[in-house]
Amino acid sequence: MNAMRNSFQKLLYYPSAIVGILMILLLVFTAVYAMIKIPYREAIRLWRGGEEVWYQNPKFAPPAWINLFSAKKYAESFSARTTDGTMTKEVTPGAKGTSTMSAAYTFNFSYDYLPQDMILYLTSTYQAKEPFISVEWLTPDGRKIRIVNMALSQKQTYRFSQDEKLKVKLKTDNVIKKLFSDPDTGNLIKGKYQLLITGATFEPDSDINVEYVFHGQVYGLAGTDQARRDLMVPLLWGAPIALAFGLIASLGTSVLTMVIAAVGTWYGGWVDELIQRITEINLVLPFLAILILIGTFYSRSIWVILGATIALSIFTGAIKGYRSIFVQVKESMYIEAARAYGASGPRIVFFYLIPRMIPLLIPGLVASVPAFVFLEASLAVLGLGDPVLPTWGKIIDDAQRNGALYRGYYYWILEPATLLMLTGLGFAMLGFALDRIFNPKLREV
């Protein structure tokens, strides 16, 4: 234990190891934060939810921080509603159970690009007589534009850009541009805009609530995809999934390979012959092709893929490498002494042979984690990822299917690809440093 402790203390002499450890700690912190901030069930609901979950978000919106690097500013998305007080609402009672409602929302538009759309989600409660509302739009130059007058059902959606009557009234096919532009010059007008909604109810206990959604050109810290999903959810949850898959596969493969090699070396005979023949057969099997067949014809569950990955990765060339070292260790004097005082075969394997291999096991275990992380992402890019879980590979697959690179949505691929590269780089830098520490032949003179 003292030797192991001293070996790990030597990591501080390698800047690459320190950087690698910091990267891994950052990934672990991200994974823990994701699981606490967005519980598993909530993450699945957000990832697999439809329009009713992400209706407030625009489609194909880059992250909002690109405005920091752009000379012209893109419109940022937001929403306001009367139910939570972000949109002001006043109700004035009238005679015989009637009432009037007025709601208003004022915002400052200081962008150089128009929003994608504006939507009103209207809900009302009534028994027989439908409430009635009037929507008006106030511009910074003092103009008041009447948008629509209509009776309300219990749930109703109004899209500014799809109102044919409003298009005829404004004499344009692009309603959004007309609402934010000077009627004479057509130039974009910046300043304070106000949405005014007045309504009337005709029954006691009847009510009207409004939600105003502004679909801008950019959204959030990570942007959105084709289904309006906030990409921050799969980017955060991709960390615990990638780390769990990589660490479990690496640990299971490394430990089982070493144990099987030690057992075969110690007992020899038909046990060793069987292990060697299985290894030689497995070496010629197409690893990726078998995983693709499993994902295509059996199951794409990440647990099934993980189990198949470990099973196919146990009997590899590492068994022969471990065996060659165990053959030498088997003839050591301390092994002869253990046999002399009557130590059993399992005790010698697990307490005398295997511990001698731990210094060689640790660097390989750490360095192999990125390979399994990339494997899971590669299967997802091929369309064989777990359909339930939000992962980095799934983001890249969705981006590829929707032509992200050809349509200019580079953020959609660069974000998960960057996280994959940082994961690989962090474990690789730490693994190489550990290899130099535990393998004296690799130490620098």
Side-chain angles (χ1 to χ4, degrees):
M1 292 300 295
N2 289 332
M4 291 287 292
R5 189 180 299 110
N6 293 333
S7 297
F8 282 110
Q9 287 176 351
K10 293 177 183 178
L11 284 174
L12 300 178
Y13 295 102
Y14 294 93
S16 61
I18 297 175
V19 174
I21 291 173
L22 291 177
M23 289 183 177
I24 294 172
L25 289 177
L26 180 61
L27 287 170
V28 172
F29 172 80
T30 302
V32 173
Y33 174 80
M35 291 186 290
I36 294 175
K37 185 69 175 179
I38 311 174
Y40 175 76
R41 293 184 180 275
E42 178 65 11
I44 300 302
R45 185 187 73 86
L46 293 176
W47 176 247
R48 295 178 60 82
E51 184 78 14
E52 68 278 0
V53 177
W54 297 113
Y55 68 93
Q56 295 178 344
N57 303 345
K59 288 185 177 181
F60 304 113
W65 49 260
I66 68 170
N67 275 336
L68 299 175
F69 308 97
S70 177
K72 293 186 176 182
K73 305 304 179 183
Y74 296 89
E76 297 186 17
S77 305
F78 64 83
S79 63
R81 56 188 67 83
T82 56
T83 53
D84 61 5
T86 52
M87 177 183 287
T88 60
K89 173 185 173 182
E90 294 183 1
V91 178
T92 304
K96 298 181 181 180
T98 64
S99 64
T100 58
M101 183 274 297
S102 61
Y105 185 75
T106 303
F107 64 97
N108 186 45
F109 184 84
S110 58
Y111 307 107
D112 299 297
Y113 292 97
L114 294 169
Q116 295 185 24
D117 201 356
M118 296 190 297
I119 308 171
L120 292 177
Y121 293 95
L122 305 156
T123 58
S124 61
T125 55
Y126 61 92
Q127 295 295 325
K129 296 182 180 180
E130 298 177 340
F132 187 86
I133 66 164
S134 176
V135 181
E136 295 177 316
W137 182 254
L138 275 65
T139 63
D141 56 356
R143 289 179 294 121
K144 179 183 288 189
I145 303 173
R146 186 172 296 278
I147 302 297
V148 67
N149 298 321
M150 61 180 178
L152 292 183
S153 58
Q154 291 183 345
K155 288 187 177 181
Q156 194 162 337
T157 302
Y158 176 79
R159 296 179 179 272
F160 285 67
S161 62
Q162 296 180 7
D163 188 343
E164 297 298 328
K165 293 182 179 179
L166 184 59
K167 290 180 181 180
V168 173
K169 180 180 178 180
L170 298 179
K171 299 178 182 180
T172 181
D173 289 330
N174 192 338
V175 170
I176 301 299
K177 182 178 180 181
K178 194 73 172 180
L179 292 177
F180 286 90
S181 302
D182 187 288
D184 299 323
T185 63
N187 295 329
L188 197 63
I189 300 178
K190 298 181 181 180
K192 288 188 177 181
Y193 287 84
Q194 188 175 42
L195 178 70
L196 294 176
I197 301 173
T198 55
T201 60
F202 308 102
E203 298 174 337
D205 299 325
S206 184
D207 193 18
I208 300 173
N209 280 299
V210 182
E211 182 175 5
Y212 171 54
V213 175
F214 183 93
H215 282 171
Q217 299 290 340
V218 295
Y219 179 85
L221 293 175
T224 62
D225 61 8
Q226 82 287 355
R228 304 184 191 276
R229 294 176 295 193
D230 186 354
L231 292 179
M232 202 63 191
V233 173
L235 287 177
L236 286 175
W237 257 93
I241 295 172
L243 290 177
F245 189 94
L247 290 172
I248 293 174
S250 179
L251 183 62
T253 299
S254 301
V255 172
L256 290 175
T257 299
M258 186 176 61
V259 170
I260 291 172
V263 170
T265 303
W266 177 253
Y267 289 100
W270 68 269
V271 176
D272 187 40
E273 286 294 326
L274 178 61
I275 292 173
Q276 297 307 311
R277 297 297 82 78
I278 294 175
T279 301
E280 291 164 1
I281 293 173
N282 189 66
L283 286 174
V284 299
L285 293 178
F287 174 72
L288 183 60
I290 294 176
L291 290 181
I292 292 175
L293 288 174
I294 293 173
T296 303
F297 296 107
Y298 180 63
S299 173
R300 288 188 292 163
S301 169
I302 194 170
W303 300 112
V304 173
I305 297 299
L306 177 60
T309 298
I310 294 175
L312 292 170
S313 301
I314 293 173
F315 295 93
T316 59
I319 279 190
K320 294 187 176 292
Y322 285 136
R323 181 179 181 275
S324 64
I325 300 175
F326 281 133
V327 168
Q328 302 175 37
V329 177
K330 182 180 178 181
E331 304 301 327
S332 300
M333 295 300 295
Y334 78 96
I335 298 295
E336 291 295 331
R339 298 171 78 175
Y341 73 72
S344 63
R347 179 176 178 83
I348 292 175
V349 168
F350 289 99
F351 288 91
Y352 297 100
L353 287 179
I354 290 179
R356 291 293 296 271
M357 295 297 294
I358 291 179
L360 293 177
L361 172 69
I362 293 176
L365 188 153
V366 173
S368 64
V369 170
F372 293 109
V373 172
F374 291 144
L375 173 64
E376 187 277 329
S378 299
L379 291 173
V381 172
L382 293 174
L384 300 173
D386 193 308
V388 176
L389 298 177
T391 64
W392 296 335
K394 190 63 177 175
I395 300 176
I396 299 176
D397 178 47
D398 288 340
Q400 182 182 2
R401 291 176 183 270
N402 289 274
L405 291 179
Y406 301 102
R407 302 171 68 177
Y409 307 134
Y410 302 109
Y411 70 95
W412 201 348
I413 289 182
L414 288 177
E415 289 171 346
T418 300
L419 291 174
L420 283 168
M421 289 188 292
L422 290 177
T423 302
L425 183 61
F427 280 99
M429 295 174 74
L430 178 59
F432 293 153
L434 288 171
D435 207 12
R436 289 196 294 269
I437 292 172
F438 287 105
N439 191 344
K441 295 181 180 179
L442 297 178
R443 293 179 186 170
E444 298 177 357
V445 180

